[in-house]
Amino acid sequence: MFKLILASSLLLASFLTYSNSEIVQGPFEIRQGAKIYLKKEVNDDYPLALYFLKDNKSTKIDTYETEGGEPSVETVFFMTIHNRKNVIVLISWAQFLRAENINGKSFKVYGYIYDNNNLTVNNKINNDPNLSGEEGEFGGEQLYFKYQNAEKIKKYILGKY
């Protein structure tokens, strides 16, 4: 009986470990030996994270918090800004609050610079107020977010930066 309980416990532990490390996007190769991926986390406040994989070592670069709903990856792509490769990630959150007449999505574009075999936050992209917004009904007002796909995001970034 003890062996059955032990085997069941080990099976459950391995299942929980596997399920808590679910990759939701990627891995995407930046260059040979360097990749990024987005993974579900066990943290309820920050259930999604971006990782940089280099030389078989993963480093957490950023986390995305719960804001009304859980963060969801809309798109991931690479582009060059000022001769430096950038990773661009569009995250969305479902928003539904009947009492406040909210039914839509929030969006935010995140940027990361790949330089000297490292990945760092691109603060210009992340702090650009035009690269975040809402789509849907918010407080009785119909809102539209312009940058919901890679093509529109690239066009905006190349025009501004």
Side-chain angles (χ1 to χ4, degrees), residues 95-112:
Q95 304 291 313
F96 181 75
L97 296 167
R98 187 176 305 199
E100 295 180 31
N101 206 18
I102 295 175
N103 186 11
K105 278 186 176 181
S106 293
F107 294 89
K108 178 151 179 46
V109 176
Y110 295 87
Y112 307 92

Side-chain angles (χ1 to χ4, degrees), residues 38-133:
L38 290 117
K39 182 175 99 166
K40 282 189 178 182
E41 301 283 298
V42 294
N43 186 329
D44 289 338
D45 294 329
Y46 295 89
L48 185 64
L50 174 72
Y51 284 83
F52 179 58
L53 177 62
K54 177 179 73 172
D55 301 326
N56 292 321
K57 180 182 174 213
S58 287
T59 304
K60 188 185 297 187
I61 301 299
D62 207 353
T63 57
Y64 309 102
E65 67 183 314
T66 300
E67 292 186 17
E70 284 198 11
S72 178
V73 181
E74 294 288 330
T75 188
V76 177
F77 61 92
F78 303 116
M79 66 181 297
T80 302
I81 305 170
H82 299 296
N83 297 319
R84 292 163 60 186
K85 187 174 264 189
N86 278 250
V87 177
I88 307 296
V89 179
L90 175 61
I91 301 291
S92 70
W93 297 264
Q95 304 291 313
F96 181 75
L97 296 167
R98 187 176 305 199
E100 295 180 31
N101 206 18
I102 295 175
N103 186 11
K105 278 186 176 181
S106 293
F107 294 89
K108 178 151 179 46
V109 176
Y110 295 87
Y112 307 92
I113 301 167
Y114 176 73
D115 197 24
N116 294 323
N117 214 20
N118 286 307
L119 193 67
T120 57
V121 172
N122 183 329
N123 287 316
K124 287 183 179 180
I125 301 292
N126 292 5
N127 295 330
D128 187 329
N130 293 316
L131 292 175
S132 62

Side-chain angles (χ1 to χ4, degrees), residues 20-35:
N20 289 338
S21 62
E22 181 184 343
I23 293 176
V24 295
Q25 289 281 330
F28 302 110
E29 190 168 76
I30 299 174
R31 70 161 195 82
Q32 190 171 2
K35 299 177 182 179

